[in-house]
């Protein structure tokens, strides 16, 4: 996964209602350069204990020594509870990239928050995966799972060149599916609109990669298609249903505090100013850390995490960006 900017993360309620535990220290057990620019890092518990479980599509937040936090998809085997594996692209200017490529050594201890999953993998008879570069990382465990289940899958893998395509040999060796590489240096670019037009409605589509690729897939998809994304930056249509930024009231059911959220102020910041702390990370509506249960009222969703069905259900909202359609929201905080 590419780096996502985060500021803090510890304990939070997941979309499944499970409460996760605080960050823990893990040790770098193994590193391996899988392409000239991508470093695979394996992290293990200091005492060799099993790590919290995760599902394909999950990511972890790595706390950097300077206090920043970066999220990376888990690309290992979820059945292996002994280790978390991440693959990190070396890109200029990235603080997480600089730390992981420049400072990590075997035995280095890093602080890692437990896995979180905004990119759930469901079994389907047919699955189409669309990856761009390092965007392959959350898809890799999904593709392995689809292959093991004997499901029919195809991966369209967009890369600058085949030698810079992480995990390509492993992907090609997996059964029941096909890997189609679109290497820019060979002039093979993916025709996104044609691919989506040729994809049947009973095919589940997973996409992760650069913004331009994901925006292209999102705009080419039919409403009847089930397409799931892992966003690194807010999706272009995140506020597609947004209403004007009017003032509204938020009642915090558990803490008993009521705050007014005014124009230009997020729910997250309004609560914080009133002394109600909710964990946050990206503050752009892309990581899911601030997801909060809605007990009453109608959210005005502006995030890139919830599906259309989850938006319509209105049971949770990302309070760093989303607001209210109703004059009052009651939140489970
Ligand atoms: S803090 Fe990342 S979605 Fe709100």
């Amino acid at each position: 996964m590419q780096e996502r900017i985060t500021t803090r993360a510890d304990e939070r309620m997941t979309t499944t209602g499970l409460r996760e535990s605080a960050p823990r220290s893990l040790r770098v057990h193994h590193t391996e350069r899988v392409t000239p620019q991508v470093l695979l890092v394996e992290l293990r518990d200091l005492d060799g204990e099993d790590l919290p479980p995760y599902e394909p599509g999950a990511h972890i937040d790595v706390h950097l020594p300077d206090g920043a936090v970066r999220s990376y998809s888990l690309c290992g085997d979820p059945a292996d509870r002994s280790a978390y594996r991440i693959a990190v692209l070396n890109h200029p200017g990235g603080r997480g990239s600089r730390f992981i490529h420049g400072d990590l050594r075997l035995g280095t201890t890093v602080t890692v928050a437990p896995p979180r999953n905004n990119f759930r993998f469901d079994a389907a008879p047919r699955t189409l995966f669309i990856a761009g570069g390092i965007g392959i990382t959350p898809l890799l465990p999904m593709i392995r799972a689809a292959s093991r289940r004997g499901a029919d899958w195809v991966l369209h893998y967009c890369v600058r060149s085949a030698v810079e395509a992480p995990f390509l040999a492993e992907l090609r060796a997996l059964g029941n599916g096909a890997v189609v590489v679109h290497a820019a240096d060979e002039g093979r670019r993916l025709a996104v609109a044609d691919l989506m037009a040729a994809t049947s409605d009973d095919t589940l589509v997973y996409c992760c990669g650069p913004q331009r690729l994901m925006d292209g897939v999102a705009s080419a998809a039919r409403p009847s298609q089930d397409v799931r994304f892992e966003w690194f930056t807010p999706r272009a249509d995140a506020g597609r249903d947004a209403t004007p930024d009017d003032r509204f009231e938020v009642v915090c059911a558990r803490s008993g505090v009521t705050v007014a959220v005014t124009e230009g102020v997020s729910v997250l910041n309004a609560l914080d100013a009133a002394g109600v702390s909710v964990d946050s990370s990206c503050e752009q509506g892309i990581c899911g850390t601030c997801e909060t249960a809605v007990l009453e009222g109608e959210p005005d969703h502006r995030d890139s995490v919830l599906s259309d069905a989850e938006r319509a259900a209105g049971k949770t909202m990302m309070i760093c960006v989303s607001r209210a359609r109703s004059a009052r929201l009651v939140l489970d905080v």
Side-chain angles (χ1 to χ4, degrees), residues 10 18 32 34 52 87 101 174 188 204 211 222 228 236 249-250 276-277 292 298 302 319:
D10 41 40
L18 299 173
E32 181 182 339
V34 292
H101 280 261
L174 294 173
R188 295 186 194 175
L204 203 44
Q211 182 90 15
R222 300 184 296 278
R228 301 178 185 183
E249 195 172 73
V250 171
V276 180
S277 176
T292 300
E298 188 181 358
R302 303 179 183 190
I319 62 168

Side-chain angles (χ1 to χ4, degrees), residues 127-142:
T127 310
L128 169 64
F129 299 100
I130 304 172
I134 196 67
I136 191 64
T137 50
L139 301 179
L140 184 57
M142 298 183 183

Side-chain angles (χ1 to χ4, degrees), residues 279-290 305 318-320:
D279 293 333
S280 64
S281 185
C282 68
E283 300 191 15
Q284 298 179 81
I286 57 175
C287 74
T289 303
C290 69
V305 176
M318 304 302 150
I319 62 168
C320 64

Side-chain angles (χ1 to χ4, degrees), residues 60-75:
I60 52 172
D61 286 343
V62 174
H63 294 235
L64 306 183
D66 65 3
V69 180
R70 294 292 182 270
S71 301
Y72 297 101
S73 295
L74 291 165
C75 61

Side-chain angles (χ1 to χ4, degrees), residues 80-307:
D80 178 7
R81 298 277 305 276
S82 70
Y84 291 153
R85 297 183 131 214
I86 58 174
V88 180
L89 177 68
N90 187 11
H91 69 90
R95 278 198 286 179
S97 164
R98 199 161 52 234
F99 170 65
I100 285 172
H101 280 261
D103 300 337
L104 275 194
R105 302 283 180 270
L106 289 184
T108 301
T109 298
V110 291
T111 304
V112 172
R116 196 167 54 235
N117 199 345
N118 302 323
F119 197 34
R120 202 184 70 235
F121 177 61
D122 289 321
R126 269 174 293 284
T127 310
L128 169 64
F129 299 100
I130 304 172
I134 196 67
I136 191 64
T137 50
L139 301 179
L140 184 57
M142 298 183 183
I143 298 169
R144 289 197 201 103
S147 174
R148 275 191 206 127
R149 288 174 188 164
D152 181 5
W153 61 270
V154 175
L155 166 66
H156 285 264
Y157 196 2
C158 305
V159 291
R160 274 213 294 259
S161 75
V163 293
E164 290 183 33
F167 309 111
L168 182 55
E170 177 186 348
L171 288 160
R172 281 179 164 153
L174 294 173
N176 302 309
V179 178
V180 183
V181 176
H182 303 270
D185 65 348
E186 297 170 18
R188 295 186 194 175
R189 293 193 181 270
L190 175 61
V192 171
D194 293 347
L195 175 64
M196 294 306 291
T199 299
S200 61
D201 284 355
D202 64 350
T203 300
L204 203 44
V205 183
Y206 292 88
C207 178
C208 186
Q211 182 90 15
R212 199 174 63 170
L213 174 68
M214 297 206 290
D215 283 341
V217 172
S219 63
R222 300 184 296 278
S224 53
Q225 289 179 309
D226 190 347
V227 186
R228 301 178 185 183
F229 300 94
E230 177 82 317
W231 294 91
F232 304 134
T233 54
R235 55 184 294 174
D237 61 351
R240 54 194 175 277
D241 305 319
T243 54
D245 282 9
D246 291 337
R247 180 184 188 281
F248 57 97
E249 195 172 73
V250 171
V251 178
C252 304
R254 275 193 273 147
S255 51
V257 172
T258 298
V259 297
V261 180
T262 53
E263 183 182 348
V265 177
S266 69
V267 175
L268 179 73
N269 288 339
L271 293 186
D272 195 45
V276 180
S277 176
V278 176
D279 293 333
S280 64
S281 185
C282 68
E283 300 191 15
Q284 298 179 81
I286 57 175
C287 74
T289 303
C290 69
E291 185 173 12
T292 300
V294 179
L295 303 177
E296 285 177 37
E298 188 181 358
D300 181 356
H301 297 290
R302 303 179 183 190
D303 64 276
S304 304
V305 176
L306 297 178
S307 66

